[in-house]
């Protein structure tokens, strides 16, 4: 089943002509949950954008850059976050309900993902190619060709580079639910990512049939990011390099 997504529209100028203009939404009194709401809104950025957007209320200032955030259902920008935080612009009622009901579970999941010290990437390709790559936070990488066991490779990269692989993968895919695991072909390949703390599974990200384009592209972008660090055929010359 295709997942739905909802763009947060919060003012006349920002997606909903039926709402008041942004200047009319400024409020002196903050939301009763002002401590929780900005924390929830800033917790997870899924797309960083290079642009800038001027503050309609104070045009000499920048209100945001258009970076996109998500909790897996709702999508919003840093522009929205800053209007809420700076001017107490109200959060749409249905989205606010979701924030209140979802806050604790989201916070706990973030805490778990901070414990991840190992990422396993499994690939089942269309043309008799199947492999598993295990990336440890200490820099150790295990590569196993599941068809050619004699091609197993063990080598090491520096910790910083390992972090550059693990952290974005955990961060970029965090917001998507993982309750309905299934097989999704990403350009003809079946991928599965497993986030672990030692031998404990923290989370599994795996596509389902009928993926919507946003989630499909999100999974694909993380896979491609990891693959830039891991050559498709490493070869024996790369074994045990420090």
């Amino acid at each position: 089943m295709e997942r739905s997504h909802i763009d947060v529209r919060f003012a006349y100028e920002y997606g909903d002509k039926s709402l008041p203009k942004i200047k009319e939404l400024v409020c002196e009194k903050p939301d009763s949950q002002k401590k929780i709401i900005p924390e929830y809104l800033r917790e997870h950025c899924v797309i960083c954008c290079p642009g800038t957007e001027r503050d309609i209320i104070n045009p000499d200032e920048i209100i945001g850059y258009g970076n996109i955030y998500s909790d897996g259902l709702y999508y919003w920008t840093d522009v929205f976050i800053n209007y809420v935080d700076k001017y107490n612009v109200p959060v749409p009622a249905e989205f606010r309900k979701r924030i209140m009901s979802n806050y604790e579970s989201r916070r706990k999941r973030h805490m778990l993902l901070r414990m991840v010290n190992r990422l396993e990437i499994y690939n089942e390709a269309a043309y008799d190619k199947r492999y598993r790559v295990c990336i440890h936070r200490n820099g150790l990488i295990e590569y196993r060709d599941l068809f050619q066991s004699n091609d197993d490779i063990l080598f090491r990269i520096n910790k910083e580079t390992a972090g550059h692989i693990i952290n974005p993968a955990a961060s970029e895919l965090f917001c998507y639910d993982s309750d309905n695991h299934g097989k999704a072909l990403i350009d003809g390949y079946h991928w599965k990512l497993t986030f672990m703390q030692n031998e404990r599974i923290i989370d599994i990200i795996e596509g389902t049939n009928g993926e919507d384009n946003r989630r499909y592209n999100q999974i694909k972008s993380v896979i491609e990011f990891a693959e830039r660090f891991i050559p498709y055929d490493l070869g024996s010359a790369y074994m045990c390099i420090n």
Side-chain angles (χ1 to χ4, degrees):
M1 179 180 293
E2 184 170 315
R3 289 175 172 84
S4 60
H5 62 268
I6 303 170
D7 293 319
V8 176
R9 299 174 180 179
F10 60 97
Y12 177 91
E13 298 91 337
Y14 294 97
D16 191 338
K17 301 297 184 184
S18 69
L19 292 174
K21 292 189 175 182
I22 193 71
K23 289 183 179 180
E24 300 170 31
L25 292 170
V26 175
C27 184
E28 291 295 328
K29 184 179 179 181
D31 190 291
S32 61
Q33 299 295 331
K34 181 69 180 280
K35 294 180 74 174
I36 287 177
I37 289 173
E39 180 183 343
Y40 184 97
L41 295 177
R42 295 185 191 279
E43 192 71 58
H44 182 63
C45 180
V46 295
I47 300 176
C48 292
C49 298
T52 59
E53 185 158 345
R54 291 286 171 184
D55 187 334
I56 293 175
I57 299 165
N58 291 295
D60 291 337
E61 298 182 10
I62 293 171
I63 194 67
Y65 301 91
N67 297 333
I68 298 174
Y69 294 71
S70 178
D71 63 3
L73 176 61
Y74 283 87
Y75 289 79
W76 61 94
T77 68
D78 56 354
V79 172
F80 170 65
I81 298 171
N82 293 329
Y83 276 125
V84 170
D85 201 17
K86 189 175 180 181
Y87 299 111
N88 298 318
V89 167
V91 177
E94 288 303 312
F95 182 34
R96 189 182 184 282
K97 286 181 186 176
R98 179 171 172 84
I99 292 173
M100 293 299 101
S101 64
N102 204 29
Y103 172 77
E104 283 299 327
S105 61
R106 185 175 168 86
R107 186 172 63 87
K108 288 176 182 176
R109 193 169 177 209
H110 265 296
M111 291 174 63
L112 285 174
L113 285 174
R114 292 189 187 102
M115 298 162 60
V116 169
N117 58 15
R118 183 169 138 206
L119 169 63
E120 289 191 1
I121 301 175
Y122 169 83
N123 161 261
E124 183 179 346
Y127 300 105
D128 297 330
K129 185 71 176 177
R130 187 182 301 153
Y131 66 84
R132 181 180 68 87
V133 176
C134 185
I135 306 159
H136 298 259
R137 193 171 287 279
N138 64 8
L140 182 68
I141 293 184
E142 304 168 66
Y143 173 94
R144 168 166 289 185
D145 185 322
L146 299 177
F147 280 113
Q148 303 289 336
S149 59
N150 59 333
D151 283 348
D152 288 0
I153 297 168
L154 183 69
F155 70 108
R156 188 177 295 277
I157 58 178
N158 62 55
K159 291 182 181 179
E160 290 75 15
T161 302
H164 289 326
I165 300 172
I166 294 173
N167 294 338
S171 173
E172 292 296 316
L173 293 179
F174 157 76
C175 69
Y176 297 109
D177 76 89
S178 53
D179 296 330
N180 298 307
H181 301 316
K183 289 189 176 183
L185 293 181
I186 307 296
D187 292 347
Y189 296 78
H190 168 218
W191 291 96
K192 181 168 73 173
L193 284 77
T194 304
F195 301 93
M196 306 186 71
Q197 182 197 30
N198 302 323
E199 299 304 315
R200 175 191 179 191
I201 295 176
I202 298 293
D203 204 353
I204 296 173
I205 300 293
E206 185 177 15
T208 59
N209 292 323
E211 291 293 347
D212 64 67
N213 286 334
R214 284 200 190 214
R215 189 173 188 272
Y216 171 94
N217 289 326
Q218 202 69 30
I219 296 173
K220 182 180 175 183
S221 68
V222 171
I223 296 297
E224 289 176 343
F225 180 87
E227 283 207 311
R228 285 201 292 272
F229 289 89
I230 305 170
Y232 187 76
D233 183 6
L234 294 169
S236 59
Y238 289 89
M239 291 180 65
C240 301
I241 291 180
N242 291 315

